């Protein structure tokens, strides 16, 4: 497991104008359920992905599930997301990244956190959230919001895709400012 402040982009990320317009238009429609599907479509055009889940974290509370989407792999994703929010979020690498970011005096707005199945020591967390849905790895984009809240946009890699390559993480980082801003607007 590792995390870092968003790095400067070295990748050319092309986004069709109609997809940009759709993303921005939906922010005023309160269609949060489609948000993860939109993000999955946006990034998976260049990086193979299995799932996307978006959570909002408030202090001393379980995270709120904002949106989730799956590439037709698992009908259980709502239950998996609920299990994570109710039982496992405190063991997640995102917690360490959020804590570390708060300790930095002039921290970046966006943190990137990478977690593989081998990073998860808790047996049930690993089994329910990674083994059953056949997830090998996750890259999360985290941003600190008003009221000491956090927003996390999580992209999950299926076992069939292998681990994220450095250039694929760079694609996600290049799109991160747009992804985070659109998610915040929702």
């Amino acid at each position: 497991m590792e995390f870092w402040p968003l790095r400067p982009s070295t990748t050319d990320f092309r986004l069709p104008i109609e997809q940009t317009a759709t993303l921005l238009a939906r922010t005023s429609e309160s269609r949060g359920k489609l948000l993860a599907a939109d993000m999955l479509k946006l990034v998976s055009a260049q990086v193979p992905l299995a799932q996307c889940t978006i959570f909002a974290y408030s202090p001393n509370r379980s995270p709120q599930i904002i949106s989730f989407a799956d590439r037709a792999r698992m009908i259980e994703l709502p239950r998996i997301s609920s299990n994570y929010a109710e039982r496992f979020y405190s063991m997640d690498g995102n917690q360490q990244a959020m804590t570390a970011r708060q300790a930095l005096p002039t921290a970046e707005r966006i943190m990137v956190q990478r977690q593989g199945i081998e990073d998860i020591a808790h047996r049930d967390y690993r089994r329910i959230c990674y083994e059953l849905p056949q997830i090998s790895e996750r890259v999360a984009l985290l941003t600190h919001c008003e009221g000491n809240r956090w927003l996390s946009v999580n992209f999950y890699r299926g076992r069939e895709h292998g681990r994220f390559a450095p250039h694929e993480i760079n694609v996600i980082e290049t799109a991160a400012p747009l992804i985070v801003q659109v998610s915040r607007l929702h």
Side-chain angles (χ1 to χ4, degrees):
M1 173 189 44
E2 58 184 322
F3 54 88
W4 58 90
L6 185 66
R7 299 175 289 211
S9 174
T10 60
T11 300
D12 186 24
F13 186 80
R14 298 182 189 271
L15 181 63
I17 192 77
E18 60 196 42
Q19 194 172 9
T20 305
T22 299
L23 283 172
L24 294 173
R26 286 191 178 164
T27 60
S28 63
E29 297 175 3
S30 296
R31 296 176 67 177
K33 290 187 180 215
L34 296 176
L35 181 59
D38 287 342
M39 297 304 165
L40 189 59
K41 181 179 178 183
L42 172 76
V43 177
S44 66
Q46 297 183 43
V47 176
L49 296 169
Q51 300 171 340
C52 177
T53 308
I54 303 170
F55 295 99
Y57 296 85
S58 295
N60 305 317
R61 293 181 50 198
S62 295
Q64 176 188 1
I65 303 165
I66 304 297
S67 185
F68 51 83
D70 189 297
R71 305 286 287 174
R73 299 162 42 96
M74 295 284 302
I75 58 171
E76 294 89 2
L77 187 56
R79 190 172 12 153
I80 292 168
S81 298
S82 292
N83 264 315
Y84 167 82
E86 294 166 12
R87 300 174 54 197
F88 306 123
Y89 78 95
S90 63
M91 299 172 231
D92 187 15
N94 281 347
Q95 297 298 314
Q96 292 173 344
M98 289 184 267
T99 301
R101 190 265 182 205
Q102 288 176 318
L104 299 173
T106 56
E108 286 291 324
R109 282 184 62 111
I110 301 172
M111 294 289 288
V112 181
Q113 195 274 328
R114 182 179 188 181
Q115 178 172 280
I117 190 170
E118 67 281 354
D119 297 323
I120 302 169
H122 191 275
R123 185 177 51 92
D124 287 342
Y125 177 22
R126 185 178 54 251
R127 184 179 56 78
I128 291 169
C129 296
Y130 281 73
E131 290 173 358
L132 291 176
Q134 299 181 22
I135 298 298
S136 62
E137 194 171 24
R138 177 199 66 201
V139 169
L141 303 174
L142 301 149
T143 187
H144 193 237
C145 304
E146 294 175 14
N148 203 24
R149 296 181 68 213
W150 284 85
L151 182 68
S152 175
V153 181
N154 303 278
F155 295 104
Y156 299 89
R157 188 74 166 216
R159 273 192 225 147
E160 68 275 16
H161 303 125
R163 296 188 52 89
F164 285 104
H167 74 277
E168 292 172 324
I169 292 175
N170 198 6
V171 167
I172 294 170
E173 286 188 272
T174 300
L178 174 65
I179 290 166
V180 167
Q181 188 58 32
V182 167
S183 299
R184 288 174 70 113
L185 290 172
H186 273 273

